[in-house]
Amino acid sequence: MNFIFVVISEQQAIVTKVNELMALCDTLEQEIAKNKEAATKLMQSVLREVFQGKPKEQEELLLAAEPKAEYK
């Protein structure tokens, strides 16, 4: 078997780039988690408004949530 060895400076550059990309992945994972949490809270708020609001408001919210005929 033949092995090709990469010079140390190139190895260090690769490690540096991998570390940068992993840090970016960590940041994106944190943002995704925060956005999921915000979406869950928003959905809970909307559902609470629909089911605990006044009957007239409930009807308006349910109608607003229905897909429009032109989009079907």
Side-chain angles (χ1 to χ4, degrees), residues 53-64:
K54 297 175 184 171
K56 175 90 170 138
E57 291 171 348
Q58 288 176 350
E59 183 179 335
E60 290 171 359
L61 287 170
L62 290 172
L63 288 174

Side-chain angles (χ1 to χ4, degrees), residues 18-64:
V18 168
N19 287 337
E20 289 173 3
L21 293 172
M22 292 303 294
L24 177 61
C25 288
D26 291 341
T27 301
L28 292 173
E29 285 177 346
Q30 290 171 356
E31 286 182 29
I32 288 169
K34 282 196 282 188
N35 288 337
K36 282 183 178 181
E37 184 178 332
T40 299
K41 288 180 180 179
L42 178 61
M43 182 59 75
Q44 289 172 351
S45 177
V46 169
L47 290 172
R48 187 173 24 260
E49 184 72 26
V50 168
F51 292 109
Q52 293 178 354
K54 297 175 184 171
K56 175 90 170 138
E57 291 171 348
Q58 288 176 350
E59 183 179 335
E60 290 171 359
L61 287 170
L62 290 172
L63 288 174

